């Protein structure tokens, strides 16, 4: 027996292909939406992977340093390094800001890392060009996504930084490219005031009798100095000695430092479960809407195609075609339309994904899931048309 | 199966029940021999279409008996179980418009009924090509229906009706859209095919051009058939 569905599709291929392409663009948008979510999760995991840390030590009772602000004294790392099981501990600061690069303005996460300690956690694990930061000031390593090139000069707050190295896929949880600068510079950048504000603070301190005491020389100068310095970092990243238990070391740090410690698993749960949870729900809603729209379109198209063939269906039934053959014809056409749409959508999504400003990760599992959903939608969408086709009276072919 | 013809005795069809019941067919008696072509004529509302649907196993009569060859199809409320298979294997249809399947080429349009009956595709196509040859449209075997002239389409439709070698062919106004020459050509073909394949052909028509060609005519009025002798004019 020949395939009636295939013959009909070949006969009206233009109609099917154009409809399938239209549907494909919709499926492409759906795949992109799923890819955006996957990209957000992957950005979060990349952030954790690239930090090289086993533990994140942050301000007590905060979800820092990525999901909430966190401040830890910058000498805490010394105590942590003496904790049994800890191999390395390093300060880190994170500051998201707008940067001007040679490629234009870009939103970036400025990361402060201790210079010269390239094996310390927090440092980019590899460079694609240039070298690591070796000086204590005014050097930067930037991610390629920032648009920066070797030798570019980046202005961060008041200072200018020369890009000496480039990284790839070093991004924040929200996908912003990272720019690494020396820790001291980063601490200053986080709290640095402009000259007018500094002068105003000093004037207020001098006018305050509690600070400017004639009997306590040097107090005012000490207060000015303390207010202008920043002894805080956002977190201390810790790597463990081989064989050390992350849970046990975290427990020990919590007991002795009154700080909050996150393991890799708990930090991933914060990023995926809290930081991007709202975005994930938003994307989920879009996916549901797009699914409903796709189903409606397929149902309408299959309904229209079937209504156009009612006379032929009546003739087919009159000459003895089984109901299941007619139902299979409609169902196969609906599935073929869905498959054309899926292939078109996947191609469109693959083609369009790099053009999106944020990372879009298209994974085979999503395409496989889309295949199952598209087939399910096509089956459901064809039910109305099948019902109409099966209700056609073969007597309609005879007329009268 | 060809060679048996069709015989109808006391066929009745009632629509509805009680006070609103309508007797569309009151007393239909017909007999068409194998290889014979008869005309079925009657005014609008006389019951022609209802009779055609009963003959075509599309609707069931209320009473009466109908036999295709030696097989009883209806007998006072009893009927064969599978009307769909009956239509497929034992009744050929030719419609007013050819109603070819637009997405199948000429060969597959003709080969479709045997394919539906489970005949292998190659054998079904071989049968189809044989009939297309007999109807002088084999040269259009690979064409799509939309590429054929009206006359060619009607010949292909006749081939489709004949391909399963049914004992009876029901032709519903097969010449209505055709001019005189083409209408007579269709009747000539139906006569030739009826003789060649020993098929009984019932032609429902209003067409004055072809009525004189029938040797026997059944008139139907108010649901009652009446047999008349026709002119049986030679078509040449």
């Amino acid at each position: 027996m020949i395939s009636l569905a295939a013959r009909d599709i070949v006969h009206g291929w233009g109609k099917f292909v154009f409809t399938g392409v239209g549907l494909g663009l919709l499926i492409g948008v759906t795949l992109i939406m799923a890819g955006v979510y996957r990209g957000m999760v992957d950005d979060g995991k990349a952030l954790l992977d690239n930090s090289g840390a086993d533990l994140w030590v942050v301000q007590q009772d905060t979800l820092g340093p990525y999901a909430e602000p966190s401040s830890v004294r910058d000498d805490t790392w010394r105590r942590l390094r003496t904790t049994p099981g800890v191999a390395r501990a390093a300060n880190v600061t994170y500051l998201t800001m707008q940067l001007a690069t040679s490629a234009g303005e870009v939103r970036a996460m400025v990361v402060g890392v201790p210079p010269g300690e390239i094996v310390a956690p927090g440092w980019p694990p590899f460079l694609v060009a240039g070298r690591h930061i070796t000086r204590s000031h005014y050097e930067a390593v930037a991610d390629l996504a920032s648009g920066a090139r070797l030798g570019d000069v980046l202005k961060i707050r008041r200072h200018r930084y020369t890009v000496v190295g480039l990284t790839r896929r070093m991004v924040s949880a929200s996908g912003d490219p990272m720019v690494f600068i020396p820790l001291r510079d980063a601490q200053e950048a986080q709290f640095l005031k402009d000259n007018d504000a500094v002068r105003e603070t000093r004037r207020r301190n001098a006018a305050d009798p509690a600070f400017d005491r004639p009997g306590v020389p040097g107090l005012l100068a000490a207060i000015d100095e303390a207010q202008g310095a920043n002894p805080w970092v956002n977190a201390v990243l810790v790597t463990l000695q081989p064989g050390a238990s992350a849970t046990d070391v975290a427990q020990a740090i919590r007991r002795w430092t009154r700080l909050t410690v996150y393991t890799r698993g708990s930090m991933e749960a914060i990023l995926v479960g809290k930081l991007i949870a709202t975005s994930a729900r938003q994307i989920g809603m879009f996916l549901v809407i797009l699914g409903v729209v796709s189903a409606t379109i397929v149902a309408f198209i299959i309904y229209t195609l079937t209504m156009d063939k009612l006379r032929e269906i009546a003739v087919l039934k009159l000459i003895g075609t089984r109901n299941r053959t007619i139902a299979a014809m409609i169902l196969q056409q609906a599935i073929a339309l869905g498959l054309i749409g899926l292939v078109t959508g996947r191609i469109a999504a693959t083609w369009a994904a790099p053009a999106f400003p944020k990372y879009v990760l298209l994974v085979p599992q999503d395409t496989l899931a889309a295949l199952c959903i598209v087939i399910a939608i096509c089956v459901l969408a064809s039910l109305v048309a099948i019902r109409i086709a099966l209700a056609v009276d073969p007597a309609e072919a005879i007329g009268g | 199966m060809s060679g048996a013809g069709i015989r109808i005795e006391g066929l009745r069809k009632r629509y509805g029940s009680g006070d609103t019941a309508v007797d569309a067919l009151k007393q239909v008696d017909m007999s068409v021999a194998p290889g014979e072509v008869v005309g079925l004529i009657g005014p609008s509302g006389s019951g022609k279409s209802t009779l055609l649907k009963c003959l075509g196993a599309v609707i069931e009569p209320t009473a009466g008996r109908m036999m295709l060859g030696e097989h009883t199809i209806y007998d006072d409320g009893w009927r064969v179980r599978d009307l769909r298979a009956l239509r497929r294997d034992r009744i050929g249809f030719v419609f007013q418009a050819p109603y070819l399947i637009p997405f199948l080429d000429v060969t597959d349009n003709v080969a479709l009924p045997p394919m539906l009956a489970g005949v292998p595709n190659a054998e079904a196509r071989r049968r189809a090509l044989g009939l297309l040859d007999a109807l002088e449209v084999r040269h259009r075997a690979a064409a799509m229906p939309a590429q054929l002239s009206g006359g060619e389409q009607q010949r292909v439709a006749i081939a489709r009706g004949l391909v399963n070698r049914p004992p009876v062919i029901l032709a519903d106004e097969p010449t209505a859209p055709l001019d005189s020459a083409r209408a007579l050509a269709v009747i000539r073909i139906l006569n030739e095919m009826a003789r060649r394949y020993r098929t009984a052909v019932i032609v429902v028509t209003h067409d004055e051009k072809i009525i004189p060609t029938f040797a026997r005519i059944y008139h139907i009025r108010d649901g009652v058939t009446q047999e008349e002798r026709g002119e049986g004019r030679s078509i040449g």
Side-chain angles (χ1 to χ4, degrees):
Chain A
M1 181 63 194
I2 53 176
S3 166
L4 295 175
R7 296 301 185 88
D8 194 18
I9 290 170
V10 170
H11 179 250
W13 68 269
K15 186 167 52 182
F16 270 88
V17 167
F18 283 115
T19 309
V21 167
L23 181 65
L25 294 177
L26 196 62
I27 292 173
V29 173
T30 310
L31 288 173
I32 288 280
M33 294 300 290
V36 167
Y37 170 72
R38 294 280 186 190
M40 289 164 66
V41 173
D42 196 69
D43 281 346
K45 288 182 177 171
L47 173 66
L48 302 184
D49 288 340
N50 293 333
S51 73
D54 296 314
L55 299 174
W56 285 257
V57 181
V58 301
Q59 183 182 337
Q60 196 168 35
D61 298 332
T62 69
L63 295 174
Y66 309 118
E68 284 181 2
S70 156
S71 294
V72 179
R73 299 281 314 189
D74 61 4
D75 57 357
T76 306
W77 67 276
R78 295 178 193 277
R79 273 194 293 160
L80 295 178
R81 202 173 262 187
T82 62
T83 306
V86 171
R88 292 179 182 281
N91 288 328
V92 67
T93 64
Y94 297 104
L95 172 63
T96 300
M97 61 185 297
Q98 206 72 13
L99 274 186
T101 70
S102 57
E105 280 216 342
V106 66
R107 186 133 191 97
M109 179 184 256
V110 176
V111 185
V113 289
E117 294 186 47
I118 59 171
V119 291
W123 275 74
F126 65 92
L127 300 180
V128 293
R131 60 171 174 79
H132 279 291
I133 298 168
T134 53
R135 297 179 184 166
S136 298
H137 296 286
Y138 313 130
E139 284 189 343
V141 169
D143 191 82
L144 283 171
S146 69
R149 297 289 174 263
L150 285 179
D152 277 3
V153 174
L154 307 176
K155 188 167 183 295
I156 299 172
R157 298 280 193 246
R158 281 190 211 161
H159 305 300
R160 295 175 186 280
Y161 296 79
T162 303
V163 176
V164 296
L166 295 173
T167 63
R168 177 179 286 138
R169 279 294 289 148
M170 295 294 295
V171 291
S172 73
S174 51
D176 298 326
M178 285 181 168
V179 173
F180 296 85
I181 62 173
L183 183 69
R184 286 287 168 208
D185 290 351
Q187 285 178 290
E188 185 184 319
Q190 275 195 333
F191 294 94
L192 187 65
K193 309 276 190 305
D194 59 86
N195 289 341
D196 289 340
V198 172
R199 267 200 300 274
E200 175 63 12
T201 304
R202 287 179 181 174
R203 190 191 64 73
R204 284 170 182 260
N205 287 345
D208 190 335
F211 295 157
D212 190 14
R213 294 183 186 174
V216 190
L219 175 63
L220 181 62
I223 287 170
D224 285 343
E225 175 65 23
Q227 287 183 340
N230 174 21
W232 303 97
V233 292
N234 298 123
V236 180
L237 305 183
V238 171
T239 54
L240 300 176
Q241 290 171 346
S245 160
T247 314
D248 293 345
V249 175
Q251 187 61 37
I253 295 172
R254 277 188 208 109
R255 184 183 303 150
W256 298 112
T257 62
R258 295 179 183 275
L259 294 169
T260 295
V261 186
Y262 293 111
T263 59
R264 165 71 197 234
S266 51
M267 187 53 83
E268 196 170 309
I270 289 172
L271 286 177
V272 178
K274 293 185 167 63
L275 198 60
I276 62 173
T278 309
S279 302
R281 280 199 296 274
Q282 182 98 335
I283 289 170
M285 279 304 297
F286 269 116
L287 290 176
V288 169
I289 291 168
L290 288 170
V292 171
V293 172
S294 302
T296 309
I297 289 176
V298 174
F300 177 73
I301 292 165
I302 293 299
Y303 173 79
T304 308
L305 290 174
T306 304
M307 293 303 284
D308 288 346
K309 282 200 291 279
L310 287 185
R311 175 70 77 173
E312 284 81 14
I313 288 170
V315 172
L316 285 170
K317 291 178 94 167
L318 189 68
I319 64 175
T321 308
R322 291 172 192 274
N323 276 346
R324 68 165 182 250
T325 305
I326 292 169
M329 176 177 76
I330 295 168
L331 185 62
Q332 286 164 12
Q333 287 183 342
I335 290 173
L337 198 61
L339 292 179
I340 292 171
L342 184 66
V343 171
T344 310
R346 186 65 170 85
I347 292 169
T350 305
W351 178 77
F356 278 74
K358 288 206 174 184
Y359 184 46
V360 178
L361 178 60
L362 302 171
V363 294
Q365 295 95 305
D366 285 348
T367 308
L368 205 61
L371 173 68
C372 297
I373 292 168
V374 163
I375 288 175
I377 283 175
C378 290
V379 170
L380 288 173
S382 62
L383 290 181
V384 175
I386 288 172
R387 191 183 157 95
I388 290 170
L390 296 189
V392 169
D393 186 353
E396 286 178 27
I398 294 176
Chain B
M1 284 297 161
S2 59
I6 184 168
R7 197 163 71 247
I8 298 160
E9 295 166 0
L11 201 74
R12 295 200 322 235
K13 175 64 182 175
R14 170 175 286 187
Y15 289 111
S17 59
D19 293 343
T20 57
V22 175
D23 288 316
L25 299 177
K26 294 170 183 164
Q27 181 68 34
V28 174
D29 297 290
M30 288 178 76
S31 176
V32 186
E36 186 185 17
V37 179
V38 301
L40 176 64
I41 58 177
S44 293
S46 60
K48 281 198 312 291
S49 293
T50 301
L51 177 55
L52 201 62
K53 287 171 186 173
C54 286
L55 296 176
V58 177
I59 60 172
E60 292 177 41
T62 309
R65 191 165 185 231
M66 178 174 150
M67 294 183 72
L68 279 181
E70 293 164 359
H71 296 271
T72 303
I73 307 305
Y74 301 116
D75 193 355
D76 275 334
W78 178 90
R79 70 164 174 84
V80 291
R81 267 180 67 188
D82 192 350
L83 293 179
R84 182 189 57 77
L86 176 77
R87 290 197 302 269
R88 183 190 66 204
D89 299 335
R90 303 178 58 78
I91 303 171
F93 294 93
V94 179
F95 309 107
Q96 180 173 342
Y99 295 146
L100 300 175
I101 306 300
F103 50 82
L104 298 179
D105 64 20
V106 164
T107 306
D108 282 345
N109 256 288
V110 178
L112 186 59
M115 287 177 182
L116 291 171
V119 175
N121 290 358
E123 169 61 16
R125 289 194 177 109
R126 193 188 61 73
R127 282 191 207 172
L129 289 171
L131 271 168
L132 292 172
D133 207 16
L135 288 156
E136 298 173 2
V137 277
R138 181 162 183 157
H139 62 291
R140 308 308 306 270
M144 299 304 284
Q147 297 170 314
L148 305 181
S149 68
E152 286 172 332
Q153 286 188 20
Q154 198 59 294
R155 275 186 276 170
V156 174
I158 292 171
R160 182 177 64 187
L162 282 165
V163 69
N164 272 346
R165 302 289 164 81
V168 62
I169 283 188
L170 304 175
D172 181 18
E173 305 271 12
T175 61
L178 304 177
D179 59 31
S180 285
R182 285 180 180 167
L184 290 172
V186 166
I187 294 303
R188 181 175 54 76
I189 289 168
L190 283 174
N191 274 284
E192 281 176 17
M193 295 298 120
R195 274 196 299 275
R196 184 181 296 186
Y197 299 113
R198 304 288 296 156
T199 303
V201 179
I202 299 173
V203 180
V204 177
T205 187
H206 283 110
D207 193 344
E208 298 291 339
K209 303 185 291 286
I210 64 167
I211 289 173
T213 67
F214 300 120
R216 274 198 315 137
I217 294 171
Y218 283 95
H219 272 280
I220 182 166
R221 288 188 191 88
D222 296 330
V224 179
T225 50
Q226 189 178 2
E227 185 183 343
E228 291 178 8
R229 283 185 67 82
E231 293 179 34
R233 192 180 294 168
S234 171
I235 303 167

